[in-house]
Amino acid sequence: MISFSVRIGAAIVVSALVLAPAEICAANLPAGFTETSVASVGSLPTAMELRPDGKIFITQKSGSMAVWQNGTELAANFFVNAPLSVNTLSERGLLGVAFDPNFATNRYVYVYYTTDTADFRNRVSRFTADSSGNLALSGSEQIIWEGDAHAAGYHNGGAIHFGPDGKLYIATGDNANGSDSQLLTSQHGKILRVNADGTIPLDNPFYDSTGPNIDAVWSLGLRNPFTFTFQPGTGRLFINDVGQNTWEEINDGGLSQSGRGLNFGWPTTEGDFKQSSFPEFARPFFAYNHNAAVTKPAGNVITGGAFYNPSSNTFGAEYQGDYFFADFGVGWIYRIDPVTKQVTRFATGAGAVDLKVGDDGSLYYLAFGTREVFKVTRSGAGPQITIQPEDQTVEVGKPVTFAVEASGSASFQWQRSDNNGVNYTNINGATAKTLTFTVSLADHNARFRAVASNAKGSATSSAARLTVTSGSAPNAPVVTITGGLTDSKFVAGQAISFSGTATDPEDGTLGANSFSWTISFLTSLDQGDQDNDQLPGLTRPFLTLDDVTSGTFTPVTVGPYTLADVAYAITLVVTDSEGLTSTTRQIISPKTSTITLASVPAGLLLTRDGQPVVAPDSFVSVAGFQRPIGAAAVQTSNGAIYEFVSWSNGGGANHTMSTPLVDTTYTATYAAATLPAGWASSEIGTVGAAGSSGETSGTFLVNGAGFLRGKADSFHFAYLEATGDCSITARVVELPFSAGDQNASAGVMIRSDLTAGSAGMFLGPQAKGPLQLVTRDRPGRATDSAGAGKASLPYWVRIIREGNVLTAYRSSNGSTWTKLRSKNTVALGESVFIGLAVSSGKSGLQSATFDNVTAVP
């Protein structure tokens, strides 16, 4: 017997046992239900997804994703050609997977994982699968979303799913810091909503473009939403939020737009509460306690959830629409009726971390302990639809017939939807395999489906659409762009005017009351029709106009869509007196130009749209679109320090330019920074790379390599020559930290001369945190290096010489100073050197920034 521990966000560590195969017991299921193991993995599983072709994809904490089909594991894991670099400490790892709604044509697979970087960010990336759909193509990773730095190993969330609106929803944990869940400036403890390409939907509830909010936030106030799901058919969102000490929650995320901006209360609330006490929060749909004496069920780690709305109901009518949910801590699976909230135990001993309902009506659960996927079926299947009803086009006044077939001895009930295909109602008396009636104009665009039922369950057919024609539809309308284009293309900020005409065989010329205009903004055109609306890219509503024959609109000059693969579509729909329609559409491409950001000298770092780029950087932009460009006041390149002088267009260091009509280069000119009068710099000892130093507006930048230790130290030194008693004081503002330079040091120094082994003292922080005090009391002697406490930058340091005594001081604020150590040195000499020293702890360069530098020579 092997024991291990796992923590999926509970306040305590949940212990589990992995039993030897001979000891494994199947889950306890209701009478008539059986389970079969249909897949397994070799390392800890985290989530699964079922593909319509029957394949099962299983994510593993380690960063692998196994693919199973018909009880057989495919030879290679999904990422064999595109390996993930995943951090697996604590709850980190590969945590979620989702298939693009258009997977059959674009083969996009999305995964949620923790990056193996210094700040451990959670990320959603999109991979393109090969023609088999089983392997990611090498180099196909596209980062769709990346979260804030995630210092805690716990509370990562990790579930991702596409909603019925075609948007990608992302669940994030609170990073073990509950207050983040309530901050709109933090991505932690949220449900996020993004477009399939990672851009932000403009109708998100807290969208403020360049404002302080995280625009992707859809709902907030969650602790660790490890799983969530949408109900097929309705789109209702249920979120399983792992609790802390007392309660586990199922939160109702609403039906599409009704879920906008919901706040589920964490960390202020946990479990149910009186609405009057917290009117700003949404009460949980259902909550259960950790203590079995308080609630039944009881548990401590809510995990998988799935609605039972399959294409074929093989469990029985009493299960239809129920929500299955699992608790990993105690191993059970329950179901709850979303209407009555009646809770019924379904299984014990499952240990599931994920649940799915297949199209075949089976329940699949992913068992963490045994690392298997189990398929639960009910003996004696209900009916299954064998022939689906088909779309029909019929002239008004003519009969139409829809037909359906189902296996088993089944009765039928036909249903009709409203003309939007959303809500279905039973048709009185329509209980045969066929449905025949005479059509009217009111039936245009209605959908019809059949429900087949027997004692063992029911199955619902697909919906067939009825198109009603009457005589002749209006002739195709004509749309004319009457003004505002340049070279037949749009320019951002330049108003476009348009008009339309339409005629009908019966009505003649149609008036304004027959016209309906839609102006759409199209993005990501290069990725094809992503929302199946016969328009390229992703369609974003921009403007609608009804009952007019002409109008104007102005393309936006700012926004999150900065690429040039955009367009505007003008769609005109005219409707005649019989309700028949005709549509025409005109797509307007953008006028573009190529912008080049250059620097003097070349190779410096600039910003475009707030993101760093290395000059020269060329990009295509929509004419008239505003693009923020920037240049840092001071930067280092190839060991030299440069100060910003000017942009070639006269703008400030950071400014917004309006994209011109023609290709244009914007050049940022820099000048080499120098030290103040009397200061000099040099390398002390043998270094791996020559350093540099300079000063601008009272801020010193020093780059140095080498090692501050041993008998012959090495570093870069910016200094003044001093006589007699003297001192050097500075505040260390910045000393970047990364895995390769944690031993870098930056601080103040007094030394007897500029040779490698001279006597002296150094005080300053190391990149990895502590203050370092280095002294040498005589030339050629090994240094005495000691820690001097922690230092959170910016931090003040000072060394004073009095005769042959050097004394080091530290301060967190520059006002209150603490003496660290005094050191007698041997014959410093009348003349010494005081200044700023930087070493990298390696052969390459390390940069550091100082201000409030005071030298008393």
Side-chain angles (χ1 to χ4, degrees):
M1 182 180 292
I2 305 169
S3 67
F4 69 95
S5 294
V6 66
R7 175 174 173 167
I8 310 182
I12 58 173
V13 174
V14 178
S15 297
L17 296 176
V18 178
L19 305 178
E23 299 177 285
I24 294 175
C25 299
N28 297 312
L29 300 168
F33 288 83
T34 58
E35 68 176 18
T36 306
S37 177
V38 294
S40 64
V41 292
S43 63
L44 300 179
T46 53
M48 65 176 169
E49 192 59 81
L50 310 181
R51 224 167 62 184
D53 60 3
K55 293 175 183 175
I56 305 173
F57 284 63
I58 309 169
T59 61
Q60 297 161 81
K61 196 171 184 291
S62 60
S64 295
M65 186 157 66
V67 183
W68 282 72
Q69 184 175 27
N70 298 325
T72 301
E73 184 177 12
L74 303 187
N77 92 81
F78 182 78
F79 295 109
V80 66
N81 299 320
L84 289 181
S85 180
V86 177
N87 186 277
T88 59
L89 178 68
S90 189
E91 291 174 7
R92 297 172 182 152
L94 175 58
L95 303 176
V97 57
F99 293 103
D100 192 283
N102 300 312
F103 176 82
T105 55
N106 60 29
R107 304 195 311 278
Y108 289 159
V109 180
Y110 299 74
V111 294
Y112 183 114
Y113 69 96
T114 311
T115 63
D116 195 20
T117 54
D119 52 2
F120 307 114
R121 295 175 183 266
N122 289 312
R123 171 187 293 172
V124 174
S125 284
R126 185 186 72 203
F127 290 80
T128 303
D130 64 3
S131 57
S132 72
N134 304 329
L135 299 173
L137 295 175
S138 176
S140 66
E141 181 177 11
Q142 298 290 321
I143 298 174
I144 299 299
W145 164 86
E146 190 164 87
D148 300 330
H150 204 284
Y154 302 115
H155 301 193
N156 293 273
I160 53 173
H161 298 290
F162 279 90
D165 55 3
K167 311 301 183 185
L168 181 63
Y169 290 74
I170 304 167
T172 67
D174 68 3
N175 188 31
N177 183 8
S179 61
D180 282 357
S181 298
Q182 292 295 323
L183 298 178
L184 291 176
T185 54
S186 169
Q187 300 190 80
H188 295 142
K190 309 291 191 301
I191 297 293
L192 307 176
R193 177 178 180 258
V194 301
N195 293 312
D197 62 357
T199 55
I200 308 299
L202 300 182
D203 61 345
N204 275 5
F206 305 106
Y207 183 91
D208 59 357
S209 187
T210 58
N213 293 345
I214 301 295
D215 292 338
V217 173
W218 180 253
S219 57
L220 66 158
L222 295 164
R223 183 175 181 270
N224 189 23
F226 187 66
T227 52
F228 70 90
T229 191
F230 291 93
Q231 184 175 30
T234 70
R236 188 179 188 180
L237 172 62
F238 270 16
I239 306 162
N240 294 340
D241 198 12
V242 180
Q244 183 164 290
N245 297 321
T246 310
W247 293 97
E248 305 296 302
E249 295 180 0
I250 299 173
N251 288 295
D252 189 346
L255 295 168
S256 186
Q257 293 297 309
S258 69
R260 299 178 76 253
L262 290 178
N263 188 331
F264 298 108
W266 175 258
T268 305
T269 66
E270 184 185 53
D272 202 3
F273 54 86
K274 291 183 178 179
Q275 191 68 71
S276 59
S277 299
F278 302 101
E280 70 274 29
F281 297 151
R283 294 173 62 189
F285 171 79
F286 179 75
Y288 61 89
N289 199 279
H290 293 189
N291 186 344
V294 178
T295 63
K296 288 184 173 32
N300 48 41
V301 185
I302 189 169
T303 47
F307 285 97
Y308 194 78
N309 293 95
S311 300
S312 297
N313 182 341
T314 57
F315 278 17
E318 69 271 30
Y319 286 86
Q320 185 69 25
D322 280 4
Y323 180 69
F324 285 91
F325 60 102
D327 190 284
F328 172 76
V330 293
W332 51 247
I333 300 173
Y334 270 71
R335 62 187 176 98
I336 184 171
D337 186 316
V339 178
T340 66
K341 295 190 178 181
Q342 178 181 344
V343 179
T344 306
R345 187 176 69 186
F346 182 77
T348 58
V353 292
D354 202 5
L355 302 176
K356 292 289 184 292
V357 172
D359 289 339
D360 60 355
S362 301
L363 176 69
Y364 294 76
Y365 73 87
L366 178 60
F368 186 90
T370 63
R371 304 177 187 179
E372 293 176 272
V373 176
F374 288 93
K375 177 181 179 179
V376 179
T377 57
R378 189 170 191 176
S379 55
Q384 295 189 20
I385 304 297
T386 56
I387 298 178
Q388 302 282 0
E390 298 180 352
D391 293 347
Q392 304 276 2
T393 300
V394 179
E395 189 174 329
V396 66
K398 301 289 185 180
V400 65
T401 298
F402 294 97
V404 68
E405 292 285 349
S407 63
S409 177
S411 62
F412 296 89
Q413 174 62 64
W414 284 92
Q415 298 177 332
R416 183 191 192 280
S417 78
D418 56 25
N419 293 49
N420 293 318
V422 177
N423 300 309
Y424 284 84
T425 56
N426 290 341
I427 302 173
N428 292 333
T431 56
K433 292 182 180 180
T434 58
L435 171 67
T436 302
F437 61 94
T438 301
V439 301
S440 66
L441 286 176
D443 296 317
H444 182 56
N445 279 336
R447 277 79 163 174
F448 298 86
R449 70 184 188 187
V451 179
S453 304
N454 62 21
K456 298 175 182 177
S458 63
T460 302
S461 74
S462 60
R465 178 178 175 177
L466 176 59
T467 300
V468 179
T469 64
S470 174
S472 301
N475 297 319
V478 176
V479 174
T480 304
I481 307 298
T482 57
L485 300 184
T486 299
D487 299 332
S488 300
K489 297 180 178 181
F490 79 81
V491 174
Q494 186 170 289
I496 296 172
S497 57
F498 56 89
S499 65
T501 57
T503 59
D504 180 75
E506 290 81 26
D507 298 338
T509 300
L510 296 175
N513 61 347
S514 298
F515 284 59
S516 179
W517 299 86
T518 300
I519 314 300
S520 302
F521 183 39
L522 311 179
T523 64
S524 304
L525 269 64
D526 293 345
Q527 298 182 31
D529 183 2
Q530 297 186 56
D531 40 20
N532 295 318
D533 62 353
Q534 312 307 312
L535 284 169
L538 285 168
T539 302
R540 308 180 187 282
F542 187 76
L543 177 68
T544 58
L545 294 170
D546 293 324
D547 302 327
V548 295
T549 59
S550 63
T552 63
F553 72 95
T554 302
V556 297
T557 59
V558 296
Y561 311 107
T562 58
L563 299 181
D565 61 336
V566 298
Y568 283 90
I570 302 177
T571 302
L572 172 59
V573 178
V574 296
T575 305
D576 67 10
S577 59
E578 294 184 336
L580 299 180
T581 63
S582 186
T583 303
T584 193
R585 176 178 288 141
Q586 188 162 339
I587 296 178
I588 312 172
S589 300
K591 174 73 173 176
T592 63
S593 61
T594 299
I595 305 301
T596 300
L597 303 182
S599 67
V600 176
L604 296 183
L605 196 66
L606 305 174
T607 62
R608 184 219 317 165
D609 302 321
Q611 300 300 310
V613 295
V614 177
D617 169 65
S618 295
F619 57 97
V620 177
S621 183
V622 175
F625 198 79
Q626 296 183 16
R627 309 298 293 270
I629 59 176
V634 181
Q635 61 178 290
T636 301
S637 178
N638 296 323
I641 300 171
Y642 295 95
E643 296 179 81
F644 173 75
V645 177
S646 65
W647 278 101
S648 57
N649 65 342
N654 298 285
H655 68 281
T656 299
M657 62 85 178
S658 180
T659 303
L661 296 174
V662 297
D663 297 349
T664 304
T665 296
Y666 296 88
T667 303
T669 299
Y670 280 77
T674 60
L675 290 168
W679 284 74
S681 66
S682 68
E683 308 304 328
I684 306 298
T686 302
V687 296
S692 59
S693 48
E695 178 270 343
T696 177
S697 301
T699 297
F700 285 73
L701 285 91
V702 182
N703 300 308
F707 302 85
L708 269 174
R709 63 173 182 258
K711 294 182 179 181
D713 45 6
S714 56
F715 57 94
H716 186 81
F717 195 31
Y719 61 86
L720 283 169
E721 189 169 359
T723 303
D725 293 346
C726 56
S727 67
I728 177 71
T729 302
R731 186 176 72 158
V732 183
V733 178
E734 187 174 10
L735 182 64
F737 168 84
S738 66
D741 55 14
Q742 63 266 33
N743 292 316
S745 300
V748 295
M749 174 176 279
I750 298 180
R751 61 191 297 115
S752 61
D753 58 56
L754 300 179
T755 61
S758 68
M761 177 179 284
F762 165 87
L763 176 64
Q766 288 185 294
K768 60 184 177 183
L771 275 176
Q772 185 182 34
L773 179 61
V774 179
T775 57
R776 183 184 288 116
D777 59 6
R778 65 189 65 189
R781 191 166 184 170
T783 56
D784 177 12
S785 181
K790 292 286 186 179
S792 178
L793 298 185
Y795 206 82
W796 298 71
V797 286
R798 172 183 291 167
I799 298 177
I800 298 176
R801 176 198 180 180
E802 295 174 306
N804 284 335
V805 178
L806 298 177
T807 305
Y809 296 85
R810 60 180 287 177
S811 174
S812 60
N813 55 23
S815 299
T816 303
W817 290 86
T818 300
K819 178 180 177 180
L820 294 174
R821 184 180 188 184
S822 290
K823 185 74 171 180
N824 289 312
T825 61
V826 177
L828 279 175
E830 182 68 12
S831 179
V832 294
F833 296 87
I834 65 177
L836 310 174
V838 174
S839 68
S840 62
K842 58 182 182 179
S843 59
L845 289 172
Q846 168 70 37
S847 64
T849 305
F850 304 81
D851 65 9
N852 290 278
V853 177
T854 303
V856 181

